[in-house]
PDB file of all heavy atoms in Angstrom:
ATOM      1  N   TYR A  78     -27.524 -25.597  13.688  1.00  0.00           N
ATOM      2  CA  TYR A  78     -26.458 -25.218  14.622  1.00  0.00           C
ATOM      3  C   TYR A  78     -27.034 -24.451  15.803  1.00  0.00           C
ATOM      4  O   TYR A  78     -26.700 -24.732  16.956  1.00  0.00           O
ATOM      5  CB  TYR A  78     -25.410 -24.376  13.890  1.00  0.00           C
ATOM      6  CG  TYR A  78     -24.329 -23.819  14.789  1.00  0.00           C
ATOM      7  CD1 TYR A  78     -23.265 -24.622  15.193  1.00  0.00           C
ATOM      8  CD2 TYR A  78     -24.365 -22.505  15.246  1.00  0.00           C
ATOM      9  CE1 TYR A  78     -22.276 -24.130  16.021  1.00  0.00           C
ATOM     10  CE2 TYR A  78     -23.392 -22.001  16.078  1.00  0.00           C
ATOM     11  CZ  TYR A  78     -22.345 -22.817  16.461  1.00  0.00           C
ATOM     12  OH  TYR A  78     -21.361 -22.323  17.286  1.00  0.00           O
ATOM     13  N   PHE A 255     -24.643 -20.077  30.580  1.00  0.00           N
ATOM     14  CA  PHE A 255     -24.379 -18.861  29.824  1.00  0.00           C
ATOM     15  C   PHE A 255     -23.583 -19.164  28.562  1.00  0.00           C
ATOM     16  O   PHE A 255     -23.820 -18.580  27.496  1.00  0.00           O
ATOM     17  CB  PHE A 255     -23.617 -17.854  30.691  1.00  0.00           C
ATOM     18  CG  PHE A 255     -23.189 -16.631  29.944  1.00  0.00           C
ATOM     19  CD1 PHE A 255     -24.076 -15.607  29.672  1.00  0.00           C
ATOM     20  CD2 PHE A 255     -21.872 -16.507  29.507  1.00  0.00           C
ATOM     21  CE1 PHE A 255     -23.674 -14.480  28.980  1.00  0.00           C
ATOM     22  CE2 PHE A 255     -21.466 -15.379  28.813  1.00  0.00           C
ATOM     23  CZ  PHE A 255     -22.364 -14.358  28.557  1.00  0.00           C
ATOM     24  N   GLY A 256     -22.636 -20.087  28.676  1.00  0.00           N
ATOM     25  CA  GLY A 256     -21.792 -20.430  27.528  1.00  0.00           C
ATOM     26  C   GLY A 256     -22.595 -20.985  26.364  1.00  0.00           C
ATOM     27  O   GLY A 256     -22.373 -20.619  25.204  1.00  0.00           O
ATOM     28  N   ALA A 259     -24.756 -18.191  24.880  1.00  0.00           N
ATOM     29  CA  ALA A 259     -23.893 -17.252  24.148  1.00  0.00           C
ATOM     30  C   ALA A 259     -23.465 -17.840  22.808  1.00  0.00           C
ATOM     31  O   ALA A 259     -23.428 -17.144  21.784  1.00  0.00           O
ATOM     32  CB  ALA A 259     -22.673 -16.890  24.986  1.00  0.00           C
ATOM     33  N   THR A 260     -23.151 -19.139  22.806  1.00  0.00           N
ATOM     34  CA  THR A 260     -22.771 -19.802  21.560  1.00  0.00           C
ATOM     35  C   THR A 260     -23.920 -19.789  20.559  1.00  0.00           C
ATOM     36  O   THR A 260     -23.729 -19.535  19.359  1.00  0.00           O
ATOM     37  CB  THR A 260     -22.337 -21.253  21.835  1.00  0.00           C
ATOM     38  OG1 THR A 260     -21.242 -21.261  22.748  1.00  0.00           O
ATOM     39  CG2 THR A 260     -21.924 -21.950  20.550  1.00  0.00           C
ATOM     40  N   PHE A 262     -26.422 -17.655  20.529  1.00  0.00           N
ATOM     41  CA  PHE A 262     -26.628 -16.264  20.122  1.00  0.00           C
ATOM     42  C   PHE A 262     -25.591 -15.854  19.085  1.00  0.00           C
ATOM     43  O   PHE A 262     -25.910 -15.176  18.090  1.00  0.00           O
ATOM     44  CB  PHE A 262     -26.521 -15.364  21.358  1.00  0.00           C
ATOM     45  CG  PHE A 262     -26.951 -13.951  21.116  1.00  0.00           C
ATOM     46  CD1 PHE A 262     -28.293 -13.620  21.034  1.00  0.00           C
ATOM     47  CD2 PHE A 262     -26.011 -12.941  20.975  1.00  0.00           C
ATOM     48  CE1 PHE A 262     -28.692 -12.315  20.818  1.00  0.00           C
ATOM     49  CE2 PHE A 262     -26.401 -11.633  20.761  1.00  0.00           C
ATOM     50  CZ  PHE A 262     -27.747 -11.314  20.676  1.00  0.00           C
ATOM     51  N   TYR A 263     -24.367 -16.283  19.289  1.00  0.00           N
ATOM     52  CA  TYR A 263     -23.278 -15.976  18.368  1.00  0.00           C
ATOM     53  C   TYR A 263     -23.567 -16.549  16.985  1.00  0.00           C
ATOM     54  O   TYR A 263     -23.367 -15.899  15.958  1.00  0.00           O
ATOM     55  CB  TYR A 263     -21.976 -16.540  18.918  1.00  0.00           C
ATOM     56  CG  TYR A 263     -20.731 -15.977  18.290  1.00  0.00           C
ATOM     57  CD1 TYR A 263     -20.333 -14.673  18.567  1.00  0.00           C
ATOM     58  CD2 TYR A 263     -19.954 -16.745  17.442  1.00  0.00           C
ATOM     59  CE1 TYR A 263     -19.183 -14.153  18.008  1.00  0.00           C
ATOM     60  CE2 TYR A 263     -18.809 -16.224  16.877  1.00  0.00           C
ATOM     61  CZ  TYR A 263     -18.421 -14.931  17.159  1.00  0.00           C
ATOM     62  OH  TYR A 263     -17.290 -14.416  16.592  1.00  0.00           O
ATOM     63  N   GLY A 264     -24.075 -17.802  16.969  1.00  0.00           N
ATOM     64  CA  GLY A 264     -24.430 -18.422  15.691  1.00  0.00           C
ATOM     65  C   GLY A 264     -25.571 -17.702  15.000  1.00  0.00           C
ATOM     66  O   GLY A 264     -25.582 -17.568  13.772  1.00  0.00           O
ATOM     67  N   TRP A 267     -24.461 -14.522  13.179  1.00  0.00           N
ATOM     68  CA  TRP A 267     -23.836 -14.773  11.882  1.00  0.00           C
ATOM     69  C   TRP A 267     -24.883 -14.804  10.784  1.00  0.00           C
ATOM     70  O   TRP A 267     -24.649 -14.349   9.662  1.00  0.00           O
ATOM     71  CB  TRP A 267     -23.065 -16.101  11.909  1.00  0.00           C
ATOM     72  CG  TRP A 267     -21.634 -15.930  12.278  1.00  0.00           C
ATOM     73  CD1 TRP A 267     -21.038 -16.267  13.459  1.00  0.00           C
ATOM     74  CD2 TRP A 267     -20.599 -15.369  11.474  1.00  0.00           C
ATOM     75  NE1 TRP A 267     -19.710 -15.941  13.437  1.00  0.00           N
ATOM     76  CE2 TRP A 267     -19.405 -15.401  12.227  1.00  0.00           C
ATOM     77  CE3 TRP A 267     -20.558 -14.845  10.183  1.00  0.00           C
ATOM     78  CZ2 TRP A 267     -18.195 -14.925  11.741  1.00  0.00           C
ATOM     79  CZ3 TRP A 267     -19.339 -14.363   9.695  1.00  0.00           C
ATOM     80  CH2 TRP A 267     -18.182 -14.415  10.469  1.00  0.00           C
ATOM     81  N   ASP A 413     -13.721 -18.828  10.688  1.00  0.00           N
ATOM     82  CA  ASP A 413     -14.565 -18.754  11.877  1.00  0.00           C
ATOM     83  C   ASP A 413     -13.848 -18.076  13.038  1.00  0.00           C
ATOM     84  O   ASP A 413     -14.470 -17.407  13.860  1.00  0.00           O
ATOM     85  CB  ASP A 413     -15.014 -20.162  12.304  1.00  0.00           C
ATOM     86  CG  ASP A 413     -16.098 -20.700  11.383  1.00  0.00           C
ATOM     87  OD1 ASP A 413     -16.694 -19.891  10.647  1.00  0.00           O
ATOM     88  OD2 ASP A 413     -16.340 -21.920  11.400  1.00  0.00           O
ATOM     89  N   PHE A 414     -12.535 -18.263  13.111  1.00  0.00           N
ATOM     90  CA  PHE A 414     -11.795 -17.698  14.232  1.00  0.00           C
ATOM     91  C   PHE A 414     -11.610 -16.191  14.103  1.00  0.00           C
ATOM     92  O   PHE A 414     -11.160 -15.536  15.035  1.00  0.00           O
ATOM     93  CB  PHE A 414     -10.434 -18.391  14.360  1.00  0.00           C
ATOM     94  CG  PHE A 414     -10.562 -19.821  14.794  1.00  0.00           C
ATOM     95  CD1 PHE A 414     -10.474 -20.853  13.887  1.00  0.00           C
ATOM     96  CD2 PHE A 414     -10.795 -20.125  16.131  1.00  0.00           C
ATOM     97  CE1 PHE A 414     -10.600 -22.171  14.286  1.00  0.00           C
ATOM     98  CE2 PHE A 414     -10.932 -21.440  16.534  1.00  0.00           C
ATOM     99  CZ  PHE A 414     -10.831 -22.467  15.617  1.00  0.00           C
ATOM    100  N   PHE A 415     -11.935 -15.647  12.927  1.00  0.00           N
ATOM    101  CA  PHE A 415     -11.877 -14.205  12.762  1.00  0.00           C
ATOM    102  C   PHE A 415     -13.240 -13.567  13.008  1.00  0.00           C
ATOM    103  O   PHE A 415     -13.408 -12.369  12.872  1.00  0.00           O
ATOM    104  CB  PHE A 415     -11.395 -13.853  11.352  1.00  0.00           C
ATOM    105  CG  PHE A 415      -9.943 -14.162  11.110  1.00  0.00           C
ATOM    106  CD1 PHE A 415      -9.533 -15.431  10.739  1.00  0.00           C
ATOM    107  CD2 PHE A 415      -8.987 -13.175  11.262  1.00  0.00           C
ATOM    108  CE1 PHE A 415      -8.196 -15.722  10.512  1.00  0.00           C
ATOM    109  CE2 PHE A 415      -7.647 -13.457  11.037  1.00  0.00           C
ATOM    110  CZ  PHE A 415      -7.241 -14.727  10.660  1.00  0.00           C
ATOM    111  N   GLY A 416     -14.228 -14.401  13.348  1.00  0.00           N
ATOM    112  CA  GLY A 416     -15.576 -13.882  13.558  1.00  0.00           C
ATOM    113  C   GLY A 416     -15.644 -12.863  14.670  1.00  0.00           C
ATOM    114  O   GLY A 416     -16.420 -11.902  14.598  1.00  0.00           O
ATOM    115  N   PHE A 417     -14.811 -13.050  15.695  1.00  0.00           N
ATOM    116  CA  PHE A 417     -14.876 -12.112  16.813  1.00  0.00           C
ATOM    117  C   PHE A 417     -14.424 -10.720  16.395  1.00  0.00           C
ATOM    118  O   PHE A 417     -14.772  -9.730  17.052  1.00  0.00           O
ATOM    119  CB  PHE A 417     -14.035 -12.627  17.990  1.00  0.00           C
ATOM    120  CG  PHE A 417     -12.555 -12.456  17.814  1.00  0.00           C
ATOM    121  CD1 PHE A 417     -11.914 -11.369  18.368  1.00  0.00           C
ATOM    122  CD2 PHE A 417     -11.802 -13.392  17.114  1.00  0.00           C
ATOM    123  CE1 PHE A 417     -10.541 -11.209  18.226  1.00  0.00           C
ATOM    124  CE2 PHE A 417     -10.441 -13.240  16.967  1.00  0.00           C
ATOM    125  CZ  PHE A 417      -9.811 -12.148  17.519  1.00  0.00           C
ATOM    126  N   THR A 418     -13.659 -10.607  15.294  1.00  0.00           N
ATOM    127  CA  THR A 418     -13.227  -9.284  14.849  1.00  0.00           C
ATOM    128  C   THR A 418     -14.418  -8.447  14.386  1.00  0.00           C
ATOM    129  O   THR A 418     -14.401  -7.218  14.519  1.00  0.00           O
ATOM    130  CB  THR A 418     -12.213  -9.386  13.702  1.00  0.00           C
ATOM    131  OG1 THR A 418     -12.815 -10.048  12.582  1.00  0.00           O
ATOM    132  CG2 THR A 418     -10.987 -10.147  14.141  1.00  0.00           C
ATOM    133  N   ILE A 419     -15.457  -9.097  13.860  1.00  0.00           N
ATOM    134  CA  ILE A 419     -16.645  -8.361  13.434  1.00  0.00           C
ATOM    135  C   ILE A 419     -17.310  -7.716  14.645  1.00  0.00           C
ATOM    136  O   ILE A 419     -17.698  -6.541  14.614  1.00  0.00           O
ATOM    137  CB  ILE A 419     -17.621  -9.291  12.691  1.00  0.00           C
ATOM    138  CG1 ILE A 419     -16.976  -9.799  11.392  1.00  0.00           C
ATOM    139  CG2 ILE A 419     -18.931  -8.586  12.392  1.00  0.00           C
ATOM    140  CD1 ILE A 419     -17.844 -10.754  10.616  1.00  0.00           C
ATOM    141  N   SER A 420     -17.437  -8.492  15.724  1.00  0.00           N
ATOM    142  CA  SER A 420     -18.001  -7.927  16.954  1.00  0.00           C
ATOM    143  C   SER A 420     -17.117  -6.812  17.497  1.00  0.00           C
ATOM    144  O   SER A 420     -17.614  -5.815  18.045  1.00  0.00           O
ATOM    145  CB  SER A 420     -18.163  -9.023  18.011  1.00  0.00           C
ATOM    146  OG  SER A 420     -19.110  -9.986  17.595  1.00  0.00           O
ATOM    147  N   LEU A 421     -15.804  -6.954  17.324  1.00  0.00           N
ATOM    148  CA  LEU A 421     -14.876  -5.907  17.751  1.00  0.00           C
ATOM    149  C   LEU A 421     -15.152  -4.605  17.018  1.00  0.00           C
ATOM    150  O   LEU A 421     -15.214  -3.526  17.623  1.00  0.00           O
ATOM    151  CB  LEU A 421     -13.440  -6.364  17.514  1.00  0.00           C
ATOM    152  CG  LEU A 421     -12.341  -5.313  17.740  1.00  0.00           C
ATOM    153  CD1 LEU A 421     -12.291  -4.917  19.209  1.00  0.00           C
ATOM    154  CD2 LEU A 421     -10.986  -5.854  17.289  1.00  0.00           C
ATOM    155  N   VAL A 457     -23.212  -5.738  24.312  1.00  0.00           N
ATOM    156  CA  VAL A 457     -23.395  -7.094  23.775  1.00  0.00           C
ATOM    157  C   VAL A 457     -22.217  -7.472  22.877  1.00  0.00           C
ATOM    158  O   VAL A 457     -21.714  -8.612  22.932  1.00  0.00           O
ATOM    159  CB  VAL A 457     -24.726  -7.198  22.999  1.00  0.00           C
ATOM    160  CG1 VAL A 457     -24.849  -8.561  22.324  1.00  0.00           C
ATOM    161  CG2 VAL A 457     -25.901  -6.971  23.941  1.00  0.00           C
ATOM    162  N   SER A 458     -21.752  -6.534  22.066  1.00  0.00           N
ATOM    163  CA  SER A 458     -20.616  -6.813  21.186  1.00  0.00           C
ATOM    164  C   SER A 458     -19.367  -7.119  21.996  1.00  0.00           C
ATOM    165  O   SER A 458     -18.586  -8.015  21.632  1.00  0.00           O
ATOM    166  CB  SER A 458     -20.353  -5.614  20.266  1.00  0.00           C
ATOM    167  OG  SER A 458     -21.457  -5.353  19.434  1.00  0.00           O
ATOM    168  N   ALA A 459     -19.164  -6.409  23.101  1.00  0.00           N
ATOM    169  CA  ALA A 459     -18.009  -6.663  23.957  1.00  0.00           C
ATOM    170  C   ALA A 459     -18.054  -8.075  24.534  1.00  0.00           C
ATOM    171  O   ALA A 459     -17.026  -8.768  24.600  1.00  0.00           O
ATOM    172  CB  ALA A 459     -17.954  -5.629  25.076  1.00  0.00           C
ATOM    173  N   VAL A 460     -19.254  -8.498  24.948  1.00  0.00           N
ATOM    174  CA  VAL A 460     -19.408  -9.867  25.460  1.00  0.00           C
ATOM    175  C   VAL A 460     -19.080 -10.881  24.366  1.00  0.00           C
ATOM    176  O   VAL A 460     -18.406 -11.893  24.611  1.00  0.00           O
ATOM    177  CB  VAL A 460     -20.839 -10.095  25.987  1.00  0.00           C
ATOM    178  CG1 VAL A 460     -21.068 -11.571  26.307  1.00  0.00           C
ATOM    179  CG2 VAL A 460     -21.085  -9.246  27.220  1.00  0.00           C
ATOM    180  N   LEU A 461     -19.519 -10.609  23.141  1.00  0.00           N
ATOM    181  CA  LEU A 461     -19.278 -11.541  22.042  1.00  0.00           C
ATOM    182  C   LEU A 461     -17.816 -11.578  21.622  1.00  0.00           C
ATOM    183  O   LEU A 461     -17.370 -12.544  20.996  1.00  0.00           O
ATOM    184  CB  LEU A 461     -20.151 -11.153  20.837  1.00  0.00           C
ATOM    185  CG  LEU A 461     -21.649 -11.350  21.036  1.00  0.00           C
ATOM    186  CD1 LEU A 461     -22.432 -10.775  19.861  1.00  0.00           C
ATOM    187  CD2 LEU A 461     -21.984 -12.821  21.228  1.00  0.00           C
ATOM    188  N   ILE A 462     -17.074 -10.541  21.946  1.00  0.00           N
ATOM    189  CA  ILE A 462     -15.631 -10.564  21.682  1.00  0.00           C
ATOM    190  C   ILE A 462     -14.932 -11.506  22.650  1.00  0.00           C
ATOM    191  O   ILE A 462     -14.090 -12.319  22.274  1.00  0.00           O
ATOM    192  CB  ILE A 462     -15.035  -9.144  21.808  1.00  0.00           C
ATOM    193  CG1 ILE A 462     -15.626  -8.221  20.734  1.00  0.00           C
ATOM    194  CG2 ILE A 462     -13.513  -9.186  21.671  1.00  0.00           C
ATOM    195  CD1 ILE A 462     -15.309  -6.758  20.967  1.00  0.00           C
ATOM    196  N   VAL A 463     -15.318 -11.405  23.928  1.00  0.00           N
ATOM    197  CA  VAL A 463     -14.625 -12.144  24.981  1.00  0.00           C
ATOM    198  C   VAL A 463     -15.122 -13.573  25.106  1.00  0.00           C
ATOM    199  O   VAL A 463     -14.335 -14.508  25.335  1.00  0.00           O
ATOM    200  CB  VAL A 463     -14.787 -11.410  26.335  1.00  0.00           C
ATOM    201  CG1 VAL A 463     -14.137 -12.206  27.459  1.00  0.00           C
ATOM    202  CG2 VAL A 463     -14.210 -10.009  26.241  1.00  0.00           C
ATOM    203  N   ALA A 464     -16.450 -13.791  24.918  1.00  0.00           N
ATOM    204  CA  ALA A 464     -17.059 -15.088  25.208  1.00  0.00           C
ATOM    205  C   ALA A 464     -16.421 -16.254  24.466  1.00  0.00           C
ATOM    206  O   ALA A 464     -16.045 -17.256  25.101  1.00  0.00           O
ATOM    207  CB  ALA A 464     -18.561 -15.027  24.918  1.00  0.00           C
ATOM    208  N   PRO A 465     -16.267 -16.215  23.125  1.00  0.00           N
ATOM    209  CA  PRO A 465     -15.713 -17.386  22.451  1.00  0.00           C
ATOM    210  C   PRO A 465     -14.273 -17.674  22.843  1.00  0.00           C
ATOM    211  O   PRO A 465     -13.860 -18.833  22.892  1.00  0.00           O
ATOM    212  CB  PRO A 465     -15.822 -17.024  20.960  1.00  0.00           C
ATOM    213  CG  PRO A 465     -15.899 -15.545  20.917  1.00  0.00           C
ATOM    214  CD  PRO A 465     -16.609 -15.144  22.164  1.00  0.00           C
ATOM    215  N   ILE A 466     -13.507 -16.633  23.142  1.00  0.00           N
ATOM    216  CA  ILE A 466     -12.110 -16.836  23.541  1.00  0.00           C
ATOM    217  C   ILE A 466     -12.038 -17.405  24.949  1.00  0.00           C
ATOM    218  O   ILE A 466     -11.254 -18.320  25.230  1.00  0.00           O
ATOM    219  CB  ILE A 466     -11.333 -15.510  23.445  1.00  0.00           C
ATOM    220  CG1 ILE A 466     -11.388 -14.975  22.013  1.00  0.00           C
ATOM    221  CG2 ILE A 466      -9.884 -15.701  23.879  1.00  0.00           C
ATOM    222  CD1 ILE A 466     -10.734 -13.623  21.840  1.00  0.00           C
ATOM    223  N   ALA A 467     -12.880 -16.889  25.856  1.00  0.00           N
ATOM    224  CA  ALA A 467     -12.866 -17.363  27.239  1.00  0.00           C
ATOM    225  C   ALA A 467     -13.426 -18.776  27.340  1.00  0.00           C
ATOM    226  O   ALA A 467     -12.937 -19.594  28.134  1.00  0.00           O
ATOM    227  CB  ALA A 467     -13.672 -16.414  28.124  1.00  0.00           C
ATOM    228  N   ALA A 468     -14.459 -19.074  26.534  1.00  0.00           N
ATOM    229  CA  ALA A 468     -15.090 -20.388  26.616  1.00  0.00           C
ATOM    230  C   ALA A 468     -14.201 -21.482  26.044  1.00  0.00           C
ATOM    231  O   ALA A 468     -14.137 -22.586  26.587  1.00  0.00           O
ATOM    232  CB  ALA A 468     -16.429 -20.362  25.878  1.00  0.00           C
ATOM    233  N   ALA A 469     -13.516 -21.194  24.939  1.00  0.00           N
ATOM    234  CA  ALA A 469     -12.678 -22.219  24.297  1.00  0.00           C
ATOM    235  C   ALA A 469     -11.451 -21.555  23.695  1.00  0.00           C
ATOM    236  O   ALA A 469     -11.369 -21.365  22.473  1.00  0.00           O
ATOM    237  CB  ALA A 469     -13.471 -22.967  23.224  1.00  0.00           C
ATOM    238  N   PRO A 470     -10.486 -21.162  24.528  1.00  0.00           N
ATOM    239  CA  PRO A 470      -9.282 -20.504  24.003  1.00  0.00           C
ATOM    240  C   PRO A 470      -8.488 -21.446  23.098  1.00  0.00           C
ATOM    241  O   PRO A 470      -8.207 -22.579  23.481  1.00  0.00           O
ATOM    242  CB  PRO A 470      -8.493 -20.146  25.273  1.00  0.00           C
ATOM    243  CG  PRO A 470      -9.021 -21.070  26.326  1.00  0.00           C
ATOM    244  CD  PRO A 470     -10.450 -21.330  25.986  1.00  0.00           C
ATOM    245  N   GLN A 471      -8.178 -20.974  21.901  1.00  0.00           N
ATOM    246  CA  GLN A 471      -7.441 -21.777  20.936  1.00  0.00           C
ATOM    247  C   GLN A 471      -6.379 -20.914  20.280  1.00  0.00           C
ATOM    248  O   GLN A 471      -6.497 -19.689  20.204  1.00  0.00           O
ATOM    249  CB  GLN A 471      -8.386 -22.355  19.873  1.00  0.00           C
ATOM    250  CG  GLN A 471      -9.472 -23.256  20.455  1.00  0.00           C
ATOM    251  CD  GLN A 471     -10.333 -23.883  19.382  1.00  0.00           C
ATOM    252  OE1 GLN A 471      -9.831 -24.464  18.433  1.00  0.00           O
ATOM    253  NE2 GLN A 471     -11.641 -23.775  19.520  1.00  0.00           N
ATOM    254  N   VAL A 472      -5.340 -21.572  19.770  1.00  0.00           N
ATOM    255  CA  VAL A 472      -4.216 -20.854  19.198  1.00  0.00           C
ATOM    256  C   VAL A 472      -4.619 -20.083  17.947  1.00  0.00           C
ATOM    257  O   VAL A 472      -3.985 -19.092  17.584  1.00  0.00           O
ATOM    258  CB  VAL A 472      -3.069 -21.840  18.879  1.00  0.00           C
ATOM    259  CG1 VAL A 472      -3.447 -22.759  17.710  1.00  0.00           C
ATOM    260  CG2 VAL A 472      -1.778 -21.086  18.578  1.00  0.00           C
ATOM    261  N   TYR A 474      -7.043 -18.082  17.538  1.00  0.00           N
ATOM    262  CA  TYR A 474      -7.373 -16.704  17.879  1.00  0.00           C
ATOM    263  C   TYR A 474      -6.104 -15.849  17.929  1.00  0.00           C
ATOM    264  O   TYR A 474      -6.113 -14.668  17.585  1.00  0.00           O
ATOM    265  CB  TYR A 474      -8.107 -16.634  19.215  1.00  0.00           C
ATOM    266  CG  TYR A 474      -9.511 -17.179  19.161  1.00  0.00           C
ATOM    267  CD1 TYR A 474      -9.893 -18.288  19.910  1.00  0.00           C
ATOM    268  CD2 TYR A 474     -10.475 -16.588  18.354  1.00  0.00           C
ATOM    269  CE1 TYR A 474     -11.177 -18.792  19.853  1.00  0.00           C
ATOM    270  CE2 TYR A 474     -11.761 -17.081  18.290  1.00  0.00           C
ATOM    271  CZ  TYR A 474     -12.110 -18.181  19.045  1.00  0.00           C
ATOM    272  OH  TYR A 474     -13.382 -18.672  18.983  1.00  0.00           O
TER     273      TYR A 474
END
Side-chain angles (χ1 to χ4, degrees):
Y78 175 80
F255 174 79
T260 301
F262 190 77
Y263 197 72
W267 268 107
D413 285 344
F414 292 100
F415 289 84
F417 76 97
T418 61
I419 296 178
S420 295
L421 172 65
V457 174
S458 298
V460 171
L461 292 173
I462 296 168
V463 177
I466 301 176
Q471 300 184 51
V472 69
Y474 289 117

